[in-house]
Amino acid sequence: MKLIPITSIFLLILATSCNTSDSETIIAKNKLGLLSPSTKVSEVNTILINDSIAEFDLESKFNKVSEIEVFNKEGNISLVIEPNYQNDSLVTINEVQILDPKYRTKKGLSIDSNFKTIYENYKIDNIQNSINSVILSIDEIGAYIVIDKKHLPSKLKFDSEIKIEANQIPDEAPFKYFWIRFEEPNL
C-alpha cells in the first residue's frame, strides 16, 4: 500500500523536472526558454544560470552593446542576444539568434532542422529574396530563418529579383541562421 504513494510522488517529481527543462529551452511567440520581451538584459545572468554570458557593459556612455553572447557548458555560443535600448534605464531583449539545437519549438523546429520542418508545421508569412540568401518569416512564433541560396535550384541562386515560392525550396535545405524577435513589452 505504501508503494503507490511513493511511486506517485516520484512520478510527479520526474514530470515536474521534465517540464522545467522543456520550459527553459522552448521557442514560442515572444518566448525563448525563460526569456521574454520584458526580460531586462541585466537579468540574463540570473535567468540563464547554466550558461556563461560574455561580459558586457551597458553603462558605457559612448558605446552601446550591440550583442551579447551566451555560451553553453561546452564553451560553444548557444545564443546571441541583441538588446533593445528603450531609454537610459531599461534595456530589454530585441532579438535572439539561436545557435544551439537544444532550443526548439513544440513542433520540433530548431537550428538543426531543415526546410521540410517549416513547410509541414508552420505558415510561412513572407519569403524575401536577397543576394545570397532566402529569408523566411514565421509570424506564429516570431521567427525569421535564413537559408543559403546555394541549397536552391540553380535558376534561383543568382537572381535576387525573382519571386521565390515555398514549393521551390528543397525539403533538405538547412538553416543558415535562426532568429526570434520579441515584440515591445507593454510597460
Side-chain angles (χ1 to χ4, degrees):
M1 293 278 178
K2 291 184 180 184
L3 184 60
I4 293 173
I6 292 173
T7 305
S8 298
I9 291 171
F10 176 73
L11 290 175
L12 181 63
I13 291 170
L14 182 63
T16 305
S17 66
C18 289
N19 289 342
T20 302
S21 66
D22 282 352
S23 67
E24 291 176 3
T25 59
I26 198 77
I27 299 169
K29 179 88 171 180
N30 281 327
K31 278 287 208 202
L32 177 61
L34 301 174
L35 303 176
S36 71
S38 60
T39 302
K40 295 176 188 164
V41 172
S42 60
E43 300 171 329
V44 171
N45 278 331
T46 57
I47 293 172
L48 300 175
I49 57 174
N50 293 326
D51 298 309
S52 299
I53 315 299
E55 286 193 37
F56 59 92
D57 180 13
L58 292 174
E59 305 302 319
S60 173
K61 296 184 187 233
F62 301 107
N63 297 321
K64 290 188 175 181
V65 173
S66 61
E67 58 185 39
I68 300 162
E69 294 177 335
V70 178
F71 296 86
N72 61 21
K73 293 176 189 174
E74 291 78 32
N76 301 316
I77 298 177
S78 61
L79 302 172
V80 178
I81 298 172
E82 289 190 4
N84 180 19
Y85 292 91
Q86 297 175 1
N87 56 44
D88 289 340
S89 62
L90 181 63
V91 181
T92 56
I93 298 171
N94 186 37
E95 295 180 336
V96 181
Q97 181 182 6
I98 302 166
L99 299 162
D100 191 330
K102 76 178 179 182
Y103 296 98
R104 60 182 52 245
T105 66
K106 288 183 180 179
K107 296 177 183 177
L109 187 66
S110 76
I111 186 64
D112 282 350
S113 297
N114 58 26
F115 178 73
K116 184 177 182 179
T117 308
I118 296 173
Y119 194 74
E120 291 181 344
N121 294 292
Y122 295 96
K123 176 185 175 225
I124 301 169
D125 296 290
N126 187 27
I127 299 176
Q128 186 177 1
N129 186 356
S130 70
I131 294 172
N132 297 318
S133 305
V134 176
I135 304 163
L136 310 169
S137 296
I138 306 168
D139 293 342
E140 178 183 340
I141 56 172
Y144 59 97
I145 296 170
V146 178
I147 295 176
D148 194 311
K149 282 178 125 177
K150 70 182 180 185
H151 301 289
L152 299 183
S154 58
K155 67 180 180 180
L156 303 174
K157 286 181 186 179
F158 307 107
D159 188 351
S160 61
E161 300 297 320
I162 193 169
K163 181 168 175 55
I164 296 176
E165 300 291 333
N167 61 2
Q168 295 174 299
I169 302 171
D171 285 348
E172 64 279 354
F175 301 160
K176 184 175 182 179
Y177 302 111
F178 186 169
W179 288 86
I180 296 293
R181 63 184 169 270
F182 287 160
E183 294 177 5
E184 295 285 326
N186 297 328
L187 301 175

